Amino acid sequence: MTTVSDFIIQRVREWGVTRVFGYPGDGIGEFDGALGSAERRGEGLEYIRPTHEEICSLMATAHAKFTGEVGVCIATSSPGAFHLLNGLYDAAMDNQPVVAIVGQQGLASLGTFVMQESNLERVFSDVACYVQTIVSPDQAQAVVDTAFRTAKLRLAPAVIILPHDIQGMDWKEPEPENWVARSSASAPSTAIVPPESELQKAADIINAGKKVTFLVGAGATGATDEVIEAATLAGAGIITALRGKHVVPSEIPFHTQQLGLLGSLPSLHQAEKCDTIVFLGTNYPYGQFLPKTGQARGIQIDLKPEQLGVRYPNELNLWGDVRATLEALIPLLEPKTDLSWQEGIADEMRGWEHEMEAQAMLSYPDGGNPRRVIHELNKRLPAGAIVTCDAGTTADWYGAHIRLRRGMLGDMSGRLATMLAAMPYAVAAKFAHSDRPVVCTIGDGAFQMLGMNELITIKKYLSTWKTKTFVIVVMHNDDLTQVSWEMRTEDGNPLWNTSQDVESVDYAGWASLLGFRGVTLTRDEDAGAVFDEAFAFDGVTLIDAHVSKNVPPLPPHITAEFALNTAKALLKGDPSELAVIVDSAEALAAEQVERVKGALHLGGRGHRRDGEAGREDD
């Protein structure tokens, strides 16, 4: 006999899913038993069991990001189901298709306050685009298919609630009856293209622009060649949102990386001076860095219709897939003959890269330079590498110094901006692409949250990976540094050790305890050799990088508010006052020296190459 659980497992496979991330429990026990039986028959799903349900859902989201498939996570009823929420919000806010299958107490117990009986439909109603309890075998087919179809079309998580008694009931193909829906596991196409008349309007706007900028997000994944071709024809500069970093290779000279606090000065100048801006698969949320109203004509192309036109007063909003839409738009674009805008952007970016290198080469008296660590990592990233980071200051160094070349991938939790995701993302990336080297860059605070235990997951599954190269870089400064700087720069408050201190741990020793290579890095000049050895090793290397907590994550343009609030924090008695002043002065001095060198064409790192124009100062 086929049970409801047997049917759901087979149906999930029909939706193209081969790997799920789960954690067992009695509320999902019958379904787990069916998963085990299917595995023994050779008809199951690859079941990855990390150390916590929250990691299951974060891994499912990462799987969707790194593969383009639907991510699937499985958990028991409350409290296991509740633990999925953070990862599902990550999927919702980063527009990823994820399906969660969660257990529930038996149907007859609902509403009677039995142990672990909670209103899961109400719990998940805010995060999920579709949430439904299966209350009969006849309903199972339609619920499963609707969950997957809706998740794919709406780019959001969906939740299937599976009561324990329903899990073991007999299932048969639904008959043509009243109230019985019969559905299919046919995946919908999302290759939506706007009407030709709208495409022509877009082409006319771009063709008329003299200073065109493309702002590219993760929604343009898979459209790398089309983005570059369209930008080349339009004589455009390219900015990528942080999660869209991998879409445009760093070797494209007119790609100026990110915009905003974690961005580059060339990107800021593009936004300030462009006369046309084209948003491609991005819901970039920081409006203060976008062009002023009336400065630039705006076009947006996105598959999420509710996100069209909500960040900038666009002249034209196109509901469509970025790749398919650009394919239709490119024949309508007229090649620019005046490339001075694009060439100027490329020249300024070359100067900015010299400046980032100068920042990385500074030495600090109170610890290593975190920029130097990531700078040396970037120089040695192997072909096809996948890099993840958390949402602390590691994200600043990732944005400033990691340059993803063609074929590389990189990601983080975007709009949710959770510190928790770096290690779950990295491990999920390794499952998705076990033949590629994976690098996790993570702060010590984030590593203590959801990082350290995932070394246990790596230990469990390491032998299943084609290549074992997995590098974890822990930025060890005993401080929740991003929050410390936010307190100073946003609110004018001093560092509060009571809340910010991170208990120091021998992270390299912890890795060694589990049988991995653990390396303690305390000198900047050793960073290059440490990474050379890590990438040459077919195994796991954890680099415990001791770095200064006082190196400022400087934005590309220091605003008066930023400077004033920092001064206020120091005057209020910041416990790291002297170190902050010294380290900030060093960083600012290096920044200004490089800009002056570039402007005056002096020697050193800022020396102009033959044929290059000087950079315009801020």
Side-chain angles (χ1 to χ4, degrees):
M1 296 296 294
T2 297
T3 66
V4 170
S5 292
D6 295 330
F7 164 74
I8 292 175
I9 293 166
Q10 179 58 35
R11 202 62 161 189
V12 169
R13 286 166 55 95
E14 290 176 25
W15 276 99
V17 175
T18 59
R19 178 181 299 116
V20 298
F21 303 89
Y23 204 94
D26 60 342
I28 195 73
E30 186 78 26
F31 185 74
D32 287 341
L35 282 168
S37 296
E39 181 185 78
R40 289 188 289 274
R41 296 193 305 270
E43 301 172 357
L45 298 160
E46 182 185 7
Y47 183 90
I48 307 300
R49 204 223 73 194
T51 60
H52 194 276
E53 291 96 346
E54 183 170 3
I55 294 172
C56 292
S57 55
L58 287 167
M59 282 186 171
T61 300
H63 179 86
K65 290 182 175 182
F66 288 124
T67 65
E69 301 171 358
V70 176
V72 176
C73 52
I74 302 169
T76 186
S77 56
S78 59
F82 300 155
H83 290 163
L84 296 178
L85 280 170
N86 209 34
L88 295 182
Y89 272 106
D90 189 34
M93 300 185 78
D94 280 357
N95 306 316
Q96 297 303 313
V98 169
V99 171
I101 301 173
V102 299
Q104 176 61 289
Q105 302 309 298
L107 285 174
S109 72
L110 298 185
T112 65
F113 315 107
V114 299
M115 185 178 183
Q116 293 192 1
E117 183 260 317
S118 301
N119 190 332
L120 294 180
E121 289 195 3
R122 182 182 299 168
V123 168
F124 289 110
S125 63
D126 180 61
V127 70
C129 63
Y130 175 80
V131 53
Q132 184 61 53
T133 301
I134 296 178
V135 297
S136 75
D138 278 344
Q139 186 201 18
Q141 184 184 82
V143 169
V144 172
D145 290 341
T146 304
F148 276 90
R149 188 176 299 111
T150 306
K152 286 180 71 71
L153 284 173
R154 296 193 179 178
L155 299 174
V159 177
I160 299 168
I161 300 169
L162 192 55
H164 193 276
D165 50 350
I166 295 291
Q167 296 169 28
M169 289 184 180
D170 293 340
W171 182 89
K172 60 182 179 62
E173 190 72 34
E175 300 289 341
E177 298 177 16
N178 187 33
W179 295 339
V180 175
R182 290 169 290 159
S183 62
S184 70
S186 176
S189 170
T190 57
I192 299 169
V193 179
E196 186 175 349
S197 59
E198 296 296 286
L199 293 172
Q200 187 60 59
K201 290 178 184 178
D204 291 343
I205 293 170
I206 295 172
N207 291 336
K210 296 182 179 179
K211 299 178 179 179
V212 181
T213 287
F214 286 5
L215 180 49
V216 181
T221 298
T224 297
D225 292 336
E226 290 76 14
V227 170
I228 296 170
E229 184 177 358
T232 300
L233 288 169
I238 298 176
I239 299 168
T240 48
L242 195 61
R243 285 205 53 242
K245 197 177 182 75
H246 65 280
V247 176
V248 181
S250 61
E251 52 264 40
I252 300 300
F254 45 88
H255 171 203
T256 59
Q257 300 293 318
Q258 284 70 68
L259 174 67
L261 293 176
L262 278 63
S264 72
L265 194 60
S267 291
L268 182 62
H269 285 164
Q270 278 202 70
E272 290 176 342
K273 299 173 184 178
C274 66
D275 63 18
T276 307
I277 185 164
V278 183
F279 300 89
L280 298 173
T282 181
N283 186 29
Y284 180 80
Y286 305 107
Q288 67 270 37
F289 299 107
L290 295 177
K292 295 179 181 178
T293 299
Q295 171 198 319
R297 304 175 74 181
I299 301 171
Q300 185 173 353
I301 302 172
D302 209 290
L303 266 178
K304 299 280 285 189
E306 67 273 22
Q307 295 179 3
L308 288 167
V310 299
R311 301 298 179 198
Y312 188 75
N314 296 320
E315 186 173 333
L316 186 63
N317 292 306
L318 301 179
W319 182 32
D321 171 71
V322 172
R323 181 178 181 179
T325 301
L326 286 180
E327 285 178 341
L329 179 62
I330 284 170
L332 305 177
L333 298 179
E334 299 171 357
K336 286 285 194 302
T337 56
D338 180 1
L339 297 179
S340 56
W341 166 251
Q342 191 180 72
E343 291 168 352
I345 289 167
D347 178 62
E348 187 179 6
M349 189 60 190
R350 284 188 287 268
W352 178 256
E353 296 290 44
H354 293 319
E355 189 170 305
M356 289 299 95
E357 183 176 10
Q359 293 273 0
M361 293 303 154
L362 291 174
S363 296
Y364 293 100
D366 54 335
N369 185 346
R371 289 179 176 271
R372 177 71 178 272
V373 175
I374 304 303
H375 176 77
E376 297 294 345
L377 164 64
N378 179 67
K379 288 166 61 176
R380 292 163 173 80
L381 284 176
I386 304 174
V387 186
T388 68
C389 75
D390 67 46
T393 49
T394 308
D396 291 85
W397 319 137
Y398 172 87
H401 297 281
I402 292 296
R403 300 291 179 256
L404 299 174
R405 304 188 301 277
R406 185 179 281 271
M408 294 181 178
L409 293 173
D411 218 322
M412 62 178 294
S413 174
R415 282 186 292 158
L416 187 60
T418 175
M419 293 171 60
L420 308 174
M423 272 292 282
Y425 272 34
V427 179
K430 194 65 174 176
F431 281 116
H433 304 284
S434 71
D435 58 337
R436 298 170 68 167
V438 171
V439 182
C440 173
T441 62
I442 187 169
D444 50 2
F447 193 63
Q448 288 189 13
M449 293 171 82
L450 284 188
M452 295 180 73
N453 278 359
E454 283 319 285
L455 287 182
I456 300 171
T457 303
I458 294 172
K459 181 178 177 64
K460 179 179 181 180
Y461 292 100
L462 182 63
S463 63
T464 67
W465 296 337
K466 292 179 182 178
T467 62
K468 313 296 190 292
T469 303
F470 195 113
V471 181
I472 302 128
V473 186
V474 181
M475 308 299 275
H476 185 163
N477 59 16
D478 303 330
D479 183 67
L480 297 178
T481 318
Q482 184 75 0
V483 181
S484 297
W485 279 100
E486 287 170 345
M487 290 177 71
R488 291 177 181 126
T489 61
E490 294 181 10
D491 304 313
N493 286 320
L495 170 68
W496 185 27
N497 284 331
T498 303
S499 71
Q500 304 307 108
D501 278 357
V502 174
E503 182 65 24
S504 191
V505 173
D506 180 3
Y507 302 109
W510 169 237
S512 299
L513 183 66
L514 291 173
F516 304 138
R517 287 185 74 243
V519 181
T520 301
L521 175 63
T522 58
R523 301 195 314 163
D524 290 345
E525 57 267 32
D526 295 336
V530 166
F531 283 116
D532 286 337
E533 293 172 0
F535 287 122
F537 179 60
D538 187 29
V540 179
T541 301
L542 185 145
I543 300 169
D544 187 355
H546 290 246
V547 296
S548 169
K549 67 180 180 180
N550 297 309
V551 177
L554 295 174
H557 175 68
I558 308 298
T559 64
E561 181 183 19
F562 182 102
L564 179 61
N565 284 339
T566 303
K568 286 180 180 178
L570 300 181
L571 288 172
K572 290 178 181 178
D574 193 299
S576 300
E577 176 182 357
L578 180 59
V580 168
I581 292 173
V582 171
D583 292 355
S584 297
E586 289 271 4
L588 285 168
E591 176 182 312
Q592 296 306 320
V593 165
E594 286 302 309
R595 291 183 190 176
V596 171
K597 279 182 178 180
L600 298 180
H601 319 317
L602 298 178
R605 293 189 185 90
H607 183 64
R608 181 180 56 164
R609 300 176 186 175
D610 290 341
E612 290 181 7
R615 296 180 58 224
E616 181 179 310
D617 199 6
D618 185 17

